[in-house]
Amino acid sequence: MGVVVEFSTSKTGKHGHAKCHFVAIDIFNGKKLEDIVPSSHNCDVPHVNRTDYMLIDIAEDGFVSLLTENGNTKDDLRLPTDDNLLTQIKDGFGDGKDLVVSVMSAMGEEQICGLKDIGPK
Protein backbone atom coordinates (compact mmCIF):
# COMPACT_ATOMS: atom_id res chain seq x y z
CA MET A 1 0.00 0.00 0.00
CA GLY A 2 1.59 3.20 -1.05
CA VAL A 3 1.47 6.63 -2.56
CA VAL A 4 1.71 6.55 -6.36
CA VAL A 5 4.75 8.54 -7.46
CA GLU A 6 4.86 7.49 -11.12
CA PHE A 7 2.30 6.23 -13.62
CA SER A 8 2.64 5.28 -17.29
CA THR A 9 0.66 3.39 -19.93
CA SER A 10 1.81 1.26 -22.79
CA LYS A 11 0.18 0.85 -26.17
CA THR A 12 -2.21 -1.99 -26.91
CA GLY A 13 -0.22 -5.22 -27.21
CA LYS A 14 -0.77 -8.40 -29.17
CA HIS A 15 -3.28 -9.64 -26.57
CA GLY A 16 -5.44 -6.55 -26.99
CA HIS A 17 -4.92 -4.67 -23.72
CA ALA A 18 -2.88 -1.60 -22.93
CA LYS A 19 -0.93 -1.91 -19.67
CA CYS A 20 -0.70 0.55 -16.79
CA HIS A 21 2.55 0.70 -14.84
CA PHE A 22 2.37 2.05 -11.28
CA VAL A 23 5.32 2.97 -9.07
CA ALA A 24 4.52 3.78 -5.43
CA ILE A 25 6.22 4.34 -2.09
CA ASP A 26 4.85 2.31 0.86
CA ILE A 27 3.34 4.70 3.44
CA PHE A 28 4.52 2.59 6.41
CA ASN A 29 8.07 1.51 5.52
CA GLY A 30 9.12 3.72 2.58
CA LYS A 31 9.85 0.80 0.22
CA LYS A 32 9.39 1.24 -3.52
CA LEU A 33 6.56 -0.85 -5.00
CA GLU A 34 5.67 -1.56 -8.64
CA ASP A 35 2.66 -3.09 -10.35
CA ILE A 36 1.59 -3.60 -13.95
CA VAL A 37 -2.09 -4.17 -14.70
CA PRO A 38 -4.21 -4.24 -17.87
CA SER A 39 -5.83 -0.83 -18.40
CA SER A 40 -9.25 -2.45 -18.64
CA HIS A 41 -9.04 -3.87 -15.09
CA ASN A 42 -9.94 -2.19 -11.81
CA CYS A 43 -7.38 -1.44 -9.10
CA ASP A 44 -8.05 -1.75 -5.38
CA VAL A 45 -7.41 1.40 -3.39
CA PRO A 46 -6.96 1.21 0.41
CA HIS A 47 -8.84 3.51 2.74
CA VAL A 48 -6.33 5.42 4.86
CA ASN A 49 -7.33 7.07 8.15
CA ARG A 50 -5.37 9.59 10.18
CA THR A 51 -6.28 10.02 13.87
CA ASP A 52 -4.73 12.24 16.53
CA TYR A 53 -4.15 10.99 20.08
CA MET A 54 -2.69 12.63 23.19
CA LEU A 55 0.56 10.93 24.27
CA ILE A 56 0.28 9.78 27.89
CA ASP A 57 3.36 7.60 28.41
CA ILE A 58 6.28 5.86 26.72
CA ALA A 59 7.09 2.40 28.10
CA GLU A 60 10.62 1.00 28.31
CA ASP A 61 9.74 -1.64 25.69
CA GLY A 62 8.97 1.07 23.09
CA PHE A 63 5.19 0.94 23.30
CA VAL A 64 3.26 4.17 23.81
CA SER A 65 0.13 4.85 25.81
CA LEU A 66 -2.28 7.15 23.99
CA LEU A 67 -5.49 8.85 25.11
CA THR A 68 -8.41 8.32 22.71
CA GLU A 69 -11.17 10.81 22.00
CA ASN A 70 -13.60 8.96 24.29
CA GLY A 71 -11.18 8.89 27.25
CA ASN A 72 -9.90 5.31 26.89
CA THR A 73 -6.26 4.39 26.46
CA LYS A 74 -4.67 2.82 23.39
CA ASP A 75 -1.58 0.80 24.27
CA ASP A 76 -0.87 -1.31 21.15
CA LEU A 77 1.42 1.01 19.16
CA ARG A 78 5.19 1.20 19.18
CA LEU A 79 7.29 4.32 18.80
CA PRO A 80 7.98 5.16 15.12
CA THR A 81 11.09 3.85 13.39
CA ASP A 82 11.80 7.21 11.73
CA ASP A 83 14.80 8.58 13.67
CA ASN A 84 13.82 12.25 13.37
CA LEU A 85 10.22 11.69 14.56
CA LEU A 86 11.40 9.31 17.29
CA THR A 87 13.83 11.90 18.63
CA GLN A 88 11.18 14.66 18.57
CA ILE A 89 8.72 12.47 20.50
CA LYS A 90 11.24 11.31 23.11
CA ASP A 91 12.72 14.79 23.61
CA GLY A 92 9.33 16.50 23.83
CA PHE A 93 8.00 13.90 26.27
CA GLY A 94 11.19 14.10 28.33
CA ASP A 95 10.82 17.88 28.49
CA GLY A 96 7.30 17.46 29.91
CA LYS A 97 5.47 18.87 26.89
CA ASP A 98 1.89 17.93 26.01
CA LEU A 99 2.21 16.05 22.72
CA VAL A 100 -0.38 14.87 20.22
CA VAL A 101 0.70 12.12 17.80
CA SER A 102 -0.92 11.45 14.44
CA VAL A 103 -1.54 7.78 13.68
CA MET A 104 -2.05 6.55 10.12
CA SER A 105 -4.02 3.33 9.68
CA ALA A 106 -4.81 1.25 6.60
CA MET A 107 -5.36 -2.43 5.81
CA GLY A 108 -4.92 -3.55 9.43
CA GLU A 109 -1.67 -1.63 10.00
CA GLU A 110 -1.15 1.40 12.21
CA GLN A 111 1.87 3.63 12.70
CA ILE A 112 2.69 6.95 14.33
CA CYS A 113 3.44 9.33 11.46
CA GLY A 114 3.38 12.83 12.92
CA LEU A 115 3.67 14.96 16.04
CA LYS A 116 2.10 18.16 17.34
CA ASP A 117 3.43 20.05 20.35
CA ILE A 118 0.47 21.61 22.13
CA GLY A 119 2.55 23.27 24.84
CA PRO A 120 3.97 22.61 28.29
CA LYS A 121 2.08 20.46 30.81
Side-chain angles (χ1 to χ4, degrees), residues 33-98:
L33 307 166
E34 293 189 57
D35 197 12
I36 298 174
V37 295
S39 62
S40 59
H41 292 192
N42 292 331
C43 292
D44 292 328
V45 178
H47 184 77
V48 179
N49 286 321
R50 182 183 219 124
T51 309
D52 290 342
Y53 300 100
M54 175 82 95
L55 178 63
I56 299 172
D57 194 20
I58 300 174
E60 289 183 19
D61 60 3
F63 280 90
V64 294
S65 184
L66 306 174
L67 183 64
T68 65
E69 201 174 82
N70 60 8
N72 294 327
T73 59
K74 179 173 179 58
D75 302 304
D76 60 346
L77 285 176
R78 287 186 174 276
L79 286 165
T81 55
D82 177 78
D83 289 334
N84 187 33
L85 184 56
L86 176 64
T87 301
Q88 288 178 11
I89 292 171
K90 283 185 169 182
D91 289 352
F93 187 77
D95 291 344
K97 295 181 179 177
D98 282 335

Side-chain angles (χ1 to χ4, degrees), residues 5-6 15 17 20 28 38 42 48 50 64 70 72 88 104-105 112:
V5 293
E6 188 179 316
H15 298 292
H17 293 287
C20 296
F28 292 117
N42 292 331
V48 179
R50 182 183 219 124
V64 294
N70 60 8
N72 294 327
Q88 288 178 11
M104 198 172 339
S105 61
I112 295 173

Side-chain angles (χ1 to χ4, degrees), residues 54-55 92-93 96-100 115-121:
M54 175 82 95
L55 178 63
F93 187 77
K97 295 181 179 177
D98 282 335
L99 302 176
V100 172
L115 175 68
K116 296 175 191 168
D117 177 356
I118 57 173
K121 286 187 175 177

Side-chain angles (χ1 to χ4, degrees), residues 1-7 21-36 46 107 109:
M1 153 189 30
V3 176
V4 175
V5 293
E6 188 179 316
F7 168 79
H21 179 233
F22 296 94
V23 178
I25 305 297
D26 188 294
I27 61 174
F28 292 117
N29 62 27
K31 290 184 181 177
K32 184 177 178 180
L33 307 166
E34 293 189 57
D35 197 12
I36 298 174
M107 298 175 58
E109 288 188 56

